[in-house]
Amino acid sequence: MDNLEFIYKRKSIRKFKEGEIPKEDILKLLDAATQAPSPKNQQTWHFVVLQNRDIINKIAEIVTNKHIYLAEIAKEEKQRKLMMNTLPYYICFKDAPVVVIVYSKAYKMIEEDILKANNANEEVIEILKSTHSEVQGIGAAVENFLLAATAMGYGACYMTGPAHSKREIEELINFNKEGYELMAMISLGIPEEGTPKAPPRKPLDEVVTFID
């Protein structure tokens, strides 16, 4: 695609056609993900690929149950309605042929070790850690995956909402890698025809500042 078309064509896809995705294509997308910039090249990511329909359905059920529980304990009716209105967006992965669960481990900061060894106060350390470097690395990897999927004719959706059920999901899939935890999910498939357009972006003059 010329003129950065693959960037401007990317949008969140939540409805998919039936049909399997070839393993070699999934691997191409994951390889693209791992080419992302990574703070201090620690590459803190790990990707778990699910194609088992029963497991994907069970994850959707887990997320639904947790979502309903959170809505029910909300003290304000407005919050309850908002939670229930957003439920379809949290389980839109249920009809995708592929779900990729993105894990990460903590980012190791030599600066933190130095500060702790010199009895720095917690506020100073929290400011240092506020960049959430491991999360930034995961985001970059996921974006590579999404852009590659668009370029290859697939649709995908990046989700962090289902992570409110991370412990239950981790227990269900029985994936254990020391120091790693679930951070996000990506649904992947062939997009249905006529999916909604991407929402408009804020104009550059609202989000860009030049300092001379």
Side-chain angles (χ1 to χ4, degrees):
M1 295 183 184
D2 296 328
N3 302 320
L4 302 181
E5 185 183 359
F6 66 100
I7 291 178
Y8 293 97
K9 284 188 68 175
R10 188 216 63 80
K11 62 180 181 178
S12 294
I13 299 296
R14 298 181 175 89
K15 292 186 178 181
F16 303 93
K17 296 180 180 180
E18 292 186 5
E20 296 183 357
I21 307 300
K23 184 176 181 180
E24 56 266 31
D25 284 359
I26 299 172
L27 290 172
K28 284 181 182 178
L29 296 173
L30 292 170
D31 186 58
T34 63
Q35 304 307 307
S38 173
K40 290 191 174 70
N41 197 35
Q42 290 186 20
Q43 302 181 50
T44 58
W45 47 63
H46 190 92
F47 305 92
V48 176
V49 180
L50 301 178
Q51 297 173 279
N52 183 295
R53 177 51 45 199
D54 288 338
I55 293 176
I56 293 172
N57 287 339
K58 287 177 182 176
I59 293 175
E61 183 178 348
I62 285 170
V63 174
T64 298
N65 291 338
K66 174 61 75 68
H67 208 84
I68 292 172
Y69 166 74
L70 291 172
E72 288 176 344
I73 65 172
K75 297 184 183 301
E76 298 179 13
E77 179 63 21
K78 182 178 180 181
Q79 291 178 323
R80 284 193 289 274
K81 288 183 177 180
L82 180 59
M83 282 297 295
M84 293 311 299
N85 287 341
T86 58
L87 176 57
Y89 296 95
Y90 282 62
I91 58 171
C92 63
F93 61 85
K94 64 185 177 64
D95 296 320
V98 178
V99 174
V100 179
I101 301 182
V102 186
Y103 279 73
S104 179
K105 64 179 179 179
Y107 174 71
K108 294 180 180 178
M109 303 184 75
I110 183 63
E111 303 96 321
E112 182 180 1
D113 293 338
I114 292 171
L115 288 169
K116 285 182 175 179
N118 286 275
N119 299 314
N121 65 53
E122 284 300 317
E123 181 180 1
V124 172
I125 294 174
E126 285 305 310
I127 290 172
L128 175 71
K129 296 169 68 176
S130 66
T131 54
H132 302 291
S133 297
E134 67 272 20
V135 178
Q136 293 199 46
I138 292 301
V142 171
E143 181 69 354
N144 270 19
F145 186 102
L146 301 178
L147 294 176
T150 301
M152 291 173 63
Y154 293 117
C157 187
Y158 178 19
M159 294 166 286
T160 58
H164 66 33
S165 305
K166 66 166 61 180
R167 297 297 176 239
E168 296 89 341
I169 295 172
E170 289 171 343
E171 182 177 348
L172 171 69
I173 66 175
N174 194 29
F175 173 75
N176 297 296
K177 187 174 177 67
E178 186 175 356
Y180 285 76
E181 67 175 319
L182 187 156
M183 298 293 287
M185 294 169 58
I186 309 169
S187 54
L188 173 70
I190 301 169
E192 278 281 11
E193 305 295 337
T195 55
K197 292 182 179 180
R201 268 29 189 180
K202 294 179 180 179
L204 288 182
D205 60 7
E206 287 187 24
V207 300
V208 177
T209 299
F210 283 89
I211 298 178
D212 296 325

